[in-house]
Each structure stands twice: as structure tokens, then as C-alpha cells.
Amino acid sequence: MLKTFVLCLAVLLAACGAKPSPEPFPAPASTASSVIRRLPHPAVEALDTPSPLFRQAPAEQARAQIARMDKASMGLRSWMELAPALERSLAYARSWNPDERAAEHSGIRITWGEVVASLEKLKAILPRLDAQPELLEEGFQWLSVAPEVKFTGYYSPVMQASRTRKPGYEYPIYRLPEELAPDLAWCLPTHSCPEDAFLQVIKPEDPYYSRADIDLDGALKSRNLEMAWLEHPVETYDLMLEGSGILAFDDGTQQAALFAGLNGHSGQSMAGYLIRSGELPRNKASMKGIRQGWDNHPQKRRAFLNASSGYVFFRFGAEHPKGTAGCELTPWVSMAVDPRVLPLGGIVSYALPGQRQGIRRGLGFAHDTGGAIRLRRIDMYTGEGESAVKTGITIHKNRGTCRRLRISIVCIFRGFQFCITSVSCRTFAISHRKQIHHHS
């Protein structure tokens, strides 16, 4: 008989005036042959960690978590409002071979068939969950996630943009160059590639052009790769940090800019560089502070970009961003996880600091991944625009609330339920999903 899983996670728990290059940049010779190949469904890696990631959770702990869940704290009137997100999770999980591994570690092996069964079980009880939340306890095995889980938040910035370069809009974002994904050359120029082409991060094994090469030296100019033009170079940086966002064009239309791939460089964040170089106090480490640092120190811009040399390429999507599982991201429902630890599509019940010292306690789904989301790191999606930033920052500011909590988040994967019984409050801060710089 297929098992049903719930994951229970305890307290929840940023370019520039282009400097033309004297000659056109040739494409790096080694790029096409060194591209990481993608498969629609790459095999999920089994993990062998020094200590278990999950432990058996006492029934009373699961029962207490369920009793405290509060749909109103998520802005929901009924748990039935989770149905669209649940259906998207099911569609993703069903696209896998049911006998294949969805996760394997801590002495546990979970198949995609079991992930589907968990989601189907939740779908069956969802209409009764408002009146009978205790149904989440029945038929699920709960496991406790090991201590020191790091919870952060990410959001979709809304950027003013133009489809053409004009005064006021002079800083481009680029689509993925064909040499980074030769097998997608047929669809990249028209942004018509299938969603599953991006299930695995596209990046070269040998680093491509750096951020300074592209933004200062014009390495990609005259190749018709520009998707849109933004108002300030730090806005392009912010969009890359978050991995996706909404472009509000000056013609009145909106379109999502979705993560498509990386340039293969690593490095620190621009904020981290400014702090360590003494140009920016730690308490001013915001996009506003980074923008002031950029504007006030033009002679140091190359150093800024060299320190933060990673680069994100984009693709157009529908009006709202989607996660790695192809699911439209939903605030306080969608989370970015390490898919080796928590299967994509899995259900999550969580508790995290909210506004006015309150606590958000709800159910969500593992819809996304991120370059820096590894092992016990989870990133909560907080929504679109400035209000989402402020809400996410609340997680960071309410550290005292975090320390008082000793309950968990639930992630229903099938057959098991996982709970976090302690969390590192120091890590609660708004951060970035497709992080290409650092995430400590």
C-alpha cells in the first residue's frame, strides 16, 4: 500500500553605462561543448548526510501543529482555496514515473507514486478540512526535520520597463544565448520553449561572460538578445537576485520575466561587497543602499560587478512567475526547497512570524528550487511588488517571536509528515530564490 507523507517544518519558521568594447566579443569556444545537458526529468539524487534530516515525530506534536493552523493568517477564507495550487502540484508529480525515486535519505525512500498519493489524499479531504482539520493526522506518518533549518523569503519584483531602448530605459536584461543551450536554439528567440526545458538549471561548465563583460563592456550587444530595458542597473541586479519578476511596460502591458539560465560564474552579493569594503553599513544593506553605493561611486562600478560576476538570463512567461515545477507561484503557499530533500509538489504546513508580532500558520507546497536552497534551507514566496518585500522582511524583524516557537511546518509528500522542532532564527531574512552570489 502506498504511504502518505507530510513534511512538518517547525517555526518558520539587487548596469551601468555601457562602455563599448573595441571589437565584438566572440562566443567562448568551449561553451557549446561544455553545456550541462538537461533532461525533462533528471534522476533525483539520493543523499547520504552525516546525520539524518528527519526523525520520527511524536503524535502529540503533529496534533498540536494541526490544531494551530490558521487559514486566515494566509489570507484564505477556506482551505478549498488551496485547490488550484494543489492541482498544479498533482500535475507535476504525475508527470514522473510513479516507481522512480522522489527523495531518498535518512533511511527513507519516497517514490513519485507516493507523492501523488499524498496529494490525492489531501485533495480528497480538502472539502472537509475547514470543519475537520484533524483529518490531516489520519493516515499520515509524521517525521521531524532535524534542527537548524534556515527559512528565508523571496518575492517577485515589479519593474517598470520598455520594450525598446529610449531615454529613461537604458539598461537591458537578456534572454538566454543559443550557445548556452544549443538544443533550444529553435525556440529561444521566440520565447516558445516548453516549460520542462528549464526543469534543470542551464549553465555552462566553463564560465561564460561575466557581469562586467556584459554590462560594462557590451559583450552581448548587437546580438538581438535584449528582452526589455529597465530604468537603473541596480534594478536589473535586483531582478536577477530574485530570479524572476513582473515587467510593467510603458505601453500598459505586463509580462513575467522568468529565470532561464546562468553564466556559470560565482561570487559574493553586491551588498556583501559594499559592506566588506566599508562603503555600506550593514544596517543599510537594502536595494536602496546598493543603488546609492552605485550612484555615489562610479569609479568603483567595475569592482562592484567583478565581485558579483554571476549573471541570470531570462525568458518571457505569462503574467505571473512560475516555479521550477511549472506551477504559478502563490504567496504564502509556494516554497523553494532542495528537491533532493523535499520532493517538488509536496505539501507544507508551516508556522512563521507574521506582521504585528502575529504568526502565520498554514499549508503550502514545494513549488520551486534555487541555486542556494540546499538541504535544510527553505525559501517562502511572499508575493509581488513592494508590499511583498515588506512582508518578507517581517520574518527577519520578528526574531523574538521565532525563538518562542517550538512547533513545525508540515509538508505532505506521501506517506510521511516532516516536522522541524528547532530553527536558526538568525537566518530569517528576505532573500533570493535563484541566488547566483551567496546565501549564507
Side-chain angles (χ1 to χ4, degrees):
M1 177 168 58
L2 289 177
K3 296 169 288 185
T4 52
F5 299 80
V6 174
L7 172 69
C8 185
L9 309 171
V11 306
L12 237 192
L13 209 189
C16 11
K19 171 183 156 187
S21 114
E23 296 180 1
F25 277 75
S30 63
T31 298
S33 62
S34 64
V35 171
I36 293 178
R37 307 303 295 174
R38 297 159 318 288
L39 296 172
H41 283 316
V44 176
E45 174 188 352
L47 287 176
D48 183 11
T49 57
S51 60
L53 298 174
F54 301 142
R55 299 184 180 93
Q56 185 71 40
E60 58 270 20
Q61 184 182 37
R63 194 172 300 118
Q65 170 69 5
I66 293 168
R68 292 188 178 102
M69 288 196 310
D70 179 14
K71 55 186 177 289
S73 69
M74 302 172 62
L76 304 179
R77 292 168 295 180
S78 168
W79 291 119
M80 277 300 295
E81 294 178 53
L82 290 177
L86 173 54
E87 290 291 352
R88 294 193 291 267
S89 289
L90 260 174
Y92 176 78
R94 286 169 174 161
S95 70
W96 287 78
N97 182 322
D99 297 323
E100 288 185 3
R101 174 174 59 217
E104 186 173 354
H105 56 82
S106 309
I108 300 165
R109 177 184 170 91
I110 302 172
T111 67
W112 285 106
E114 291 173 328
V115 175
V116 169
S118 296
L119 291 163
E120 288 177 338
K121 179 176 177 63
L122 179 63
K123 180 179 178 179
I125 66 174
L126 202 60
R128 296 181 285 158
L129 207 54
D130 290 343
Q132 298 175 273
E134 65 275 8
L135 292 173
L136 280 175
E137 188 180 354
E138 300 174 7
F140 291 101
Q141 179 181 354
W142 290 63
L143 301 177
S144 176
V145 178
E148 297 304 310
V149 174
K150 298 181 179 180
F151 276 92
T152 49
Y154 71 103
Y155 76 112
S156 296
V158 178
M159 302 295 188
Q160 299 300 310
S162 172
R163 296 185 187 275
T164 59
R165 184 174 184 174
K166 62 174 68 173
Y169 296 95
E170 302 186 35
Y171 304 97
I173 59 170
Y174 293 96
R175 68 169 176 82
L176 190 70
E178 285 85 349
E179 60 267 26
L180 293 186
D183 53 334
L184 299 181
W186 64 276
C187 58
L188 286 172
T190 56
H191 300 276
S192 58
C193 298
E195 287 288 336
D196 63 8
F198 303 97
L199 286 178
Q200 190 173 6
V201 174
I202 300 172
K203 65 178 180 179
E205 292 177 351
D206 300 322
Y208 191 62
Y209 299 124
S210 70
R211 186 183 295 273
D213 290 336
I214 296 170
D215 284 346
L216 289 183
D217 298 332
L220 298 181
K221 290 180 66 175
S222 304
R223 291 190 53 187
N224 198 31
L225 298 174
E226 296 89 351
M227 290 174 52
W229 303 81
L230 306 187
E231 296 176 316
H232 195 278
V234 171
E235 291 184 351
T236 69
Y237 175 75
D238 189 11
L239 188 63
M240 292 181 192
L241 283 177
E242 296 304 328
S244 66
I246 308 298
L247 301 177
F249 289 105
D250 55 354
D251 60 7
T253 62
Q254 287 194 354
Q255 200 162 7
L258 304 180
F259 179 90
L262 300 169
N263 66 344
H265 287 255
S266 59
Q268 59 186 308
S269 71
M270 196 176 289
Y273 171 79
L274 290 170
I275 291 169
R276 281 183 275 275
S277 64
E279 302 292 345
L280 186 67
R282 187 172 295 275
N283 62 357
K284 300 292 185 182
S286 63
M287 281 300 153
K288 180 179 179 180
I290 294 172
R291 185 165 179 159
Q292 289 174 345
W294 179 271
D295 292 340
N296 295 339
H297 302 284
Q299 75 282 5
K300 296 185 178 181
R301 289 174 183 172
R302 185 172 294 276
F304 294 170
L305 299 187
N306 284 337
S308 180
S309 58
Y311 208 83
V312 172
F313 299 103
F314 295 95
R315 58 192 171 95
F316 280 129
E319 189 174 352
H320 301 286
K322 293 182 178 180
T324 306
C327 304
E328 185 175 299
L329 297 175
T330 305
W332 306 110
V333 172
S334 300
M335 297 181 190
V337 303
D338 184 337
R340 303 169 303 169
V341 177
L342 313 180
L344 282 175
I347 309 157
V348 183
S349 162
Y350 61 85
L352 71 161
Q355 294 177 315
R356 298 184 180 89
Q357 302 297 316
I359 304 298
R360 293 181 187 271
R361 308 177 190 272
L363 279 173
F365 300 89
H367 279 163
D368 210 356
T369 62
I373 310 304
R374 291 290 179 266
L375 298 178
R376 297 176 179 91
R377 169 75 179 277
I378 295 178
D379 223 2
M380 170 69 75
Y381 181 67
T382 61
E384 300 174 1
E386 194 62 29
S387 61
V389 181
K390 294 177 180 177
T391 306
I393 290 174
T394 303
I395 299 174
H396 171 68
K397 290 184 176 179
N398 286 351
R399 294 179 181 179
T401 303
C402 165
R403 292 191 186 100
R404 291 195 297 270
L405 292 174
R406 285 296 178 268
I407 48 183
S408 337
I409 291 194
V410 180
C411 207
I412 301 172
F413 297 121
R414 256 235 56 90
F416 286 89
Q417 300 187 332
F418 307 93
C419 312
I420 296 176
T421 54
S422 67
V423 176
S424 174
C425 300
R426 294 190 303 270
T427 63
F428 286 20
I430 189 74
S431 61
H432 317 290
R433 172 169 55 107
K434 300 290 187 182
Q435 182 69 3
I436 56 176
H437 310 288
H438 79 299
H439 252 326
S440 55

